[in-house]
Amino acid sequence: MKDIMIDEFQFTVGELLVRNKSILDLITKFQDSNGRVNRGIVKAVTQCGCTRINAEKQNYPAGADFDEVQKQMKTHIEGELCENCRDLIEKDIGRNLFYLASICNTLDLNLYDIILKELERIKMLGKYNLR
């Protein structure tokens, strides 16, 4: 079912994209939409205040195993997105996905296949695929 949903999304994006078909337009629109996601997160902190970023150096014990390190790492986010900020960020992420699907369409790539291949890679490499 999920594969059908991703394929339908990608197909629908292809049907709706009219004005910005150039790969150059798509790349810049994709980058702009990514910037809007980032800006939405920042606004949740600086304008709304529903979340806070409390960043500091990530410390973990030397020689610790992977599970211990994973438990020690923090997101630096405090609080939760309010309904308004969540809605705005979700819309921005949706727009970002729209342009990602558009780039895939232009390059004759299947987004679902890309997701599957990446899933296989990260599962195969497991803990050695640290990002």
Side-chain angles (χ1 to χ4, degrees):
M1 179 68 173
K2 293 178 184 178
D3 59 332
I4 295 170
M5 188 173 15
I6 294 171
D7 285 342
E8 181 181 358
F9 177 75
Q10 187 171 351
F11 176 78
T12 304
V13 165
E15 294 289 309
L16 296 175
L17 188 68
V18 176
R19 291 186 315 148
N20 299 306
K21 282 206 153 195
S22 165
I23 189 67
L24 297 174
D25 287 334
L26 294 175
I27 290 169
T28 58
K29 289 288 193 179
F30 180 61
Q31 187 172 7
D32 179 63
S33 66
N34 187 57
R36 289 180 184 276
V37 171
N38 294 341
R39 182 69 182 133
I41 294 167
V42 170
K43 280 184 172 184
V45 174
T46 61
Q47 289 183 3
C48 177
C50 60
T51 59
R52 178 186 158 132
I53 298 173
N54 185 11
E56 59 189 9
K57 181 181 177 187
Q58 300 271 22
N59 292 315
Y60 53 90
D65 69 13
F66 178 78
D67 292 330
E68 290 177 43
V69 172
Q70 191 175 30
K71 289 177 188 174
Q72 293 289 326
M73 303 310 275
K74 299 175 184 168
T75 65
H76 296 136
I77 297 287
E78 295 176 355
E80 293 182 18
L81 292 172
C82 68
E83 189 174 323
N84 184 53
C85 289
R86 177 178 299 280
D87 184 51
L88 291 172
I89 293 169
E90 285 177 350
K91 286 178 184 174
D92 289 336
I93 290 173
R95 186 176 297 116
N96 190 256
L97 290 171
F98 178 92
Y99 288 111
L100 177 62
S102 296
I103 290 170
C104 289
N105 286 341
T106 301
L107 298 174
D108 196 26
L109 300 170
N110 184 280
L111 188 55
Y112 179 73
D113 291 342
I114 293 168
I115 292 169
L116 279 180
K117 287 176 185 176
E118 184 62 17
L119 179 60
E120 287 176 24
R121 270 193 290 277
I122 62 177
K123 280 185 172 181
M124 180 175 43
L125 295 173
K127 297 176 184 178
Y128 303 103
N129 189 45
L130 302 178
R131 293 185 185 174

